[in-house]
């Protein structure tokens, strides 16, 4: 049996009407946003660590910043200590 994926046509239609986006562009935006919010806490921590490290930040700054960003996620995870954040990145 085929799994049905929820349609986001109403949102895509709204974006096409209210912005300069073409339908294909609006579809990509919706899919990108959904993928962003589908990211697990662990994936977010690892991704942000890589991004901040690539930007020249050191671990002490990185983990403080990630800890400050986590509560502002769409679905905030439980508060994680700096040690827990380090364990996510380094195992």
């Amino acid at each position: 049996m085929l799994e049905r994926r929820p349609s986001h046509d109403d949102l895509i239609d709204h974006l096409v009407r209210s912005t300069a986006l073409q339908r294909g562009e609006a579809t990509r935006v919706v899919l990108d946003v959904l993928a962003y919010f589908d990211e697990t806490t662990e994936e977010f921590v690892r991704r942000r660590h890589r991004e901040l490290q690539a930007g020249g930040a050191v671990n002490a700054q990185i983990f403080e910043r990630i800890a400050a960003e986590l509560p502002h996620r769409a679905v905030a995870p439980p508060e994680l200590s700096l040690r827990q954040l380090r364990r996510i990145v380094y195992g």
Side-chain angles (χ1 to χ4, degrees):
M1 178 182 271
L2 292 175
E3 181 180 328
R4 291 197 77 168
R5 296 182 60 153
S7 172
H8 301 288
D9 286 340
D10 56 338
L11 176 57
I12 293 166
D13 291 341
H14 172 72
L15 288 173
V16 170
R17 282 191 312 270
S18 64
T19 69
L21 296 174
Q22 298 297 317
R23 186 162 190 82
E25 295 168 325
T27 300
R28 282 193 304 277
V29 167
V30 168
L31 294 176
D32 284 349
V33 169
L34 291 173
Y36 175 85
F37 286 117
D38 196 35
E39 187 176 46
T40 67
T41 299
E42 290 79 10
E43 291 167 339
F44 172 78
V45 169
R46 289 183 189 110
R47 176 178 60 79
R48 285 300 288 148
H49 183 269
R50 283 191 308 272
E51 292 170 353
L52 294 168
Q53 195 172 47
V58 296
N59 276 343
Q61 297 167 325
I62 291 171
F63 291 116
E64 288 285 341
R65 180 145 176 205
I66 291 171
E69 290 176 357
L70 280 171
H72 301 285
R73 301 275 298 158
V75 178
E79 187 173 336
L80 299 172
S81 69
L82 297 180
R83 181 175 185 214
Q84 289 172 308
L85 294 172
R86 285 184 189 93
R87 290 191 74 172
I88 289 172
V89 172
Y90 296 113

